[in-house]
Amino acid sequence: QVQLQESGPGLVKPEQKIYLTCAVSGDSITTSHLAWSWIRQPPGKDLEWMGTIAYDGSTYYSPSLKSRTSISRDTSKNQFSLQLRSVTPEDTAVYYCASRDGLRLGCEDCRREYAYWGQGAQVTVSS
């Protein structure tokens, strides 16, 4: 059973960076059939796919966030990370790391398409 756990600061000031880490247990992030993603949910809005890192380290981003987003990994720690730059209050959201079988970009019904989820990390952008 794959388990994921997000960690990172809960409060970030505008124009700074959000940096979150997802610790993975139960399988390796280099396992070929799994893909690892960041998904967020702003208050009152739907889940939004932000990007994915594949088993080989390839990264894929939402076009709307690509210029501000980086996803990386540390295979020695079996974890992957999200960096979101130049944040505004509109980036306030619950941020989830999630995993699915197979590499597919985006999600129509994220809750159904992703089998494994972290509990979510609330990040508030405020001065």
Side-chain angles (χ1 to χ4, degrees):
Q1 179 77 6
V2 176
Q3 294 183 320
L4 303 97
Q5 179 65 59
E6 305 91 349
S7 61
L11 179 63
V12 178
K13 294 183 178 180
E15 294 304 311
Q16 292 188 346
K17 300 176 184 177
I18 291 172
Y19 189 82
L20 297 170
T21 296
C22 182
V24 178
S25 61
D27 210 329
S28 170
I29 61 173
T30 61
T31 297
S32 61
H33 68 94
L34 292 175
W36 310 91
S37 300
W38 288 96
I39 297 168
R40 69 179 182 178
Q41 187 166 29
K45 297 185 179 180
D46 290 337
L47 290 165
E48 177 186 20
W49 174 76
M50 301 181 69
T52 294
I53 186 164
Y55 74 95
D56 63 354
S58 302
T59 52
Y60 308 86
Y61 300 108
S62 167
S64 65
L65 295 170
K66 184 175 182 178
S67 64
R68 300 194 291 131
T69 305
S70 297
I71 297 175
S72 60
R73 68 179 186 174
D74 185 337
T75 56
S76 68
K77 295 180 180 179
N78 208 40
Q79 62 186 33
F80 63 106
S81 300
L82 169 74
Q83 183 184 105
L84 182 65
R85 299 175 290 276
S86 302
V87 300
T88 73
E90 285 67 42
D91 293 308
T92 294
V94 178
Y95 286 76
Y96 297 95
C97 56
S99 180
R100 70 190 298 175
D101 192 12
L103 178 60
R104 279 160 285 178
L105 307 184
C107 45
E108 293 284 334
D109 184 347
C110 299
R111 282 291 182 187
R112 180 180 60 82
E113 295 176 38
Y114 279 81
Y116 306 106
W117 291 76
Q119 65 182 24
Q122 172 68 49
V123 180
T124 300
V125 179
S126 175
S127 56

